[in-house]
Amino acid sequence: MARSTSLSGFTEWLPDERLVELHVLDTLREVFEAHGFASVEARAVETIDTLLQKGEIDKEIYGISRLQDDEASAGDARLALHFDLTVPFARYVVENAGHLAFPFRRYQMQKVWRGERPQEGRYREFTQADIDIVGDGALPFRSDVEMVVVMARALERLPLGDFRLRLNNRKLSEGFYRSIGLEDTAAVLRAIDKLEKIGPEKVAAELAETAGATEEQAAKALKLAEIRTDDTSFVEQVRALGGEHELLEEGLAELTEVVGELERRVPGRVVADLSIARGLDYYTGTVCETVLVGREALGSICSGGRYESLASTGKRTFPGVGLSIGVTRLVSQILKDVAATRSVPSAVYMTLRTDEDWGAAQDVADQLRARGIAVEVALTAEKFGKQIRHADRRGIPFVWFTDAEGNHEVKDIRSGEQAPADPQTWTPPFEDAAPRVVPVE
Amino acid sequence: MARSTSLSGFTEWLPDERLVELHVLDTLREVFEAHGFASVEARAVETIDTLLQKGEIDKEIYGISRLQDDEASAGDARLALHFDLTVPFARYVVENAGHLAFPFRRYQMQKVWRGERPQEGRYREFTQADIDIVGDGALPFRSDVEMVVVMARALERLPLGDFRLRLNNRKLSEGFYRSIGLEDTAAVLRAIDKLEKIGPEKVAAELAETAGATEEQAAKALKLAEIRTDDTSFVEQVRALGGEHELLEEGLAELTEVVGELERRVPGRVVADLSIARGLDYYTGTVCETVLVGREALGSICSGGRYESLASTGKRTFPGVGLSIGVTRLVSQILKDVAATRSVPSAVYMTLRTDEDWGAAQDVADQLRARGIAVEVALTAEKFGKQIRHADRRGIPFVWFTDAEGNHEVKDIRSGEQAPADPQTWTPPFEDAAPRVVPVE
């Protein structure tokens, strides 16, 4: 096979980097399952109709088609790769509603594809890790609180450095806009969503143009978006802007509860940030973005919110709340600070004295494996120095020797210490049993 | 979202079925890692050029393209979804050779896509689990032995019922064909590969037509393909057919070693089956297929073999040996015999006396979670009977009650037994801690 070049926007990790990604995925799974979330895996492929129902995203979609299409498949629906895990999950819920127990909580860790121009932190293929709780007809607001707590706890377990969950509530924003006479709240949200990118002047101009805002209304909408508190004191600041509306009250109460509970359970990780809008139209309450402190320019590593009617059969509606981690983006950052202690699972490298010893070496290895110790057996009886280098290059900490009389010794490559060992009982120190993820020195 | 119908050939599991699939994937990972295999994940997308280098597979490929393609991407390489994990892995090895330690052993568990007509056991999207060992320049034959032993051990850990690894060796077949004067061994193999499908008469006709075989040569080639032994006695049967060739001797020695070692380490699971040819041209030695006993018609659930030059940079060649499990096909069979004990990870369902108790209930749940117990907390203080039914429908074995005075009790839903419990110490029985996969009654 001729050497092919990498494709831009399609990242692949080396084995030691993949171990860091696995550590992230395993940790997320552990936290999600501890909170009762069940694993779901959706097919990677949807009909284009299903994907386009969310609108405004078509240019990012990768369509798929058989290279040698024949007549028989001409009647098939047009297919494409999913661009997130929310739309497929909504379709899954509707399709399987009769077999699911609601409220249904699931996690899903899969690849998604977007035909975007690749750049730092943006990929054409990447892994997402989502959690959602979906109700049948209704879903208590407490699930919003639980969702952000679970995600904050999961993120705390990762070697991320400091991070902030930036929270807002659509009801709060929309209620406020209505209270000052701006009725096209979707247009206002779309303009406010661009604040970080284009700045307040241009947002004000867009508010005038697309939402019919007066100068005063635009100024007030921008004032609201300036509010940022790391506790529930945002309430007073909103009140100081005036404005009264039922939705505003609901939004204030909900955001207060989420921020308060987060502050109590995962202290120091939450900011009420009333500029957070989230582009997608389907959010109806809580909205959340997450940034790494000091790496805000990277964008959000975990986003989502409450949606009242993403999934619906017509008769039945399934409201939900969900958050999604961009795992590939996260791992690309983590890898600047941490590394795996070795590139392979093996804790022990079993050397060969002669090629004919291979079967016996496998027998010894099996005794260790039976006790959960990962072992690689050499394939060739090269000089011991060379075999030790094989282990060293992989970062395997222990090398095993068996002499002609069947005596066993184990050498710790790092210290050079070597001692007799019994394959029935010898065990590596706990911290060497599996590859660990440690800070880069 | 309107109800969309399922796509034929794209399977999705319900949560309890997904738990069985997870059990399979976790078990495979555990066995692979115990033998020193490192995880690799390749991008799902390859250039069409890379995929077509294997030939004869183009009609099965799904090409991908951005729905709204613009000029900027017109110069991009044509892309497609990979149809197996071997070709992407070969590309990965060549691309990253400078960063890998050889012999390099990796496992890879990912989805692949094929535009085939869906039928029982055939999918358009499915998960494969592969292991390969790849050398730099050379790879000792012992890796073939190790490969089949590791896979047989992995399969033994799954709730599969009885299975057989059917083994052959390309050198043996090719050497034999040459010894009887058939030089176009690829044509002979292609014909023999169809034996099970079209029967000996038609194979004989094809041998005459495509490989120029005389009636006697065809009869001998078919005689060889009839040999099937569950130990190394195939050697005498081959010798009885006559024929001498260096390659034949090599093949006999190699197959003897693999079968002998398998028989010793994983007794009763191996058959030397000299009809096994494997369609793909790149195999050069050991070839293997695996069938479930009594479900042979399903086809092979685990196949592969030795390839001398799948991966090459021109200067360097990377020989390898690998086996691939069709996980989706396997799980679809396993699900006829086994089921998960519940559909969610939770061992405990925490009830609510009042909605206001939710925060306190989460505190209690956290005490259990800190000790590794998965807990779901009710979202609404419905009548206890209804809350218990919520747990029961998910198969959660234990329901937790906290009264107004803060006294705790746990009820085993199955027995109805209820007893006081301390959140700091209470632990479910070992067999209830996580969902298990058990025979269907």
Side-chain angles (χ1 to χ4, degrees), chain A residues 38 141 182 184 192 211 221 258 278 290 292 324 354 370 384 411 417 439:
Chain A
F141 172 72
L182 290 169
D184 187 354
I192 292 292
V258 180
R278 301 297 303 149
T290 311
L292 299 179
S324 174
T354 72
F384 282 130
K411 181 193 188 87
E417 240 172 85

Side-chain angles (χ1 to χ4, degrees), chain B residues 219-232:
Chain B
K220 278 202 169 175
L222 281 165
K223 268 281 177 212
L224 185 76
E226 274 172 22
I227 296 175
R228 223 160 283 203
T229 67
D230 53 15
D231 53 25
T232 55

Side-chain angles (χ1 to χ4, degrees), chain A residues 343-397:
Chain A
S343 66
V344 294
S346 300
V348 177
Y349 190 84
M350 200 139 294
T351 62
L352 293 184
R353 212 173 37 85
T354 72
D355 282 350
E356 290 64 42
D357 289 340
W358 184 83
Q362 286 287 359
D363 291 340
V364 176
D366 282 346
Q367 295 183 55
L368 299 176
R369 290 175 187 137
R371 290 183 289 111
I373 303 165
V375 186
E376 176 175 341
V377 177
L379 287 168
T380 317
E382 297 167 301
K383 285 185 183 161
F384 282 130
K386 213 168 167 192
Q387 295 188 56
I388 293 172
R389 271 202 301 285
H390 272 303
D392 201 27
R393 282 177 60 202
R394 292 161 176 75
I396 300 174

Side-chain angles (χ1 to χ4, degrees), chain A residues 1 6 12-13 26 29 39 43 58 63 65 91-92 94-95 103 115 142 265 312 359 363 379 394, chain B residues 1 3 6 12-13 18 26 29 43 63 65-66 68 91-92 95 103 115 142 265 312 359 379 394:
Chain A
M1 180 178 287
S6 271
E12 286 179 326
W13 306 121
D26 289 345
R29 175 180 171 183
S39 172
R43 59 180 193 236
D58 47 344
S65 54
R91 195 256 317 141
Y92 178 96
V94 168
E95 229 171 77
R142 280 175 287 281
R265 294 189 185 275
S312 162
D363 291 340
L379 287 168
R394 292 161 176 75
Chain B
M1 178 179 285
R3 180 172 177 82
S6 271
E12 287 179 325
W13 305 120
R18 169 66 177 162
D26 289 345
R29 176 179 171 184
R43 60 180 192 237
S65 55
R66 297 168 65 195
Q68 296 199 348
R91 194 255 319 140
Y92 178 96
E95 229 171 77
R142 280 175 288 279
R265 294 189 186 275
S312 163
L379 287 169
R394 291 160 176 76

Side-chain angles (χ1 to χ4, degrees), chain B residues 141 167-174 251 254-255 284-287:
Chain B
F141 171 72
L167 288 164
N168 193 7
N169 190 296
R170 278 274 173 96
K171 293 179 191 168
L172 191 165
S173 307
E174 292 187 23
E254 289 192 358
L255 189 57
T284 51
T286 305
V287 282

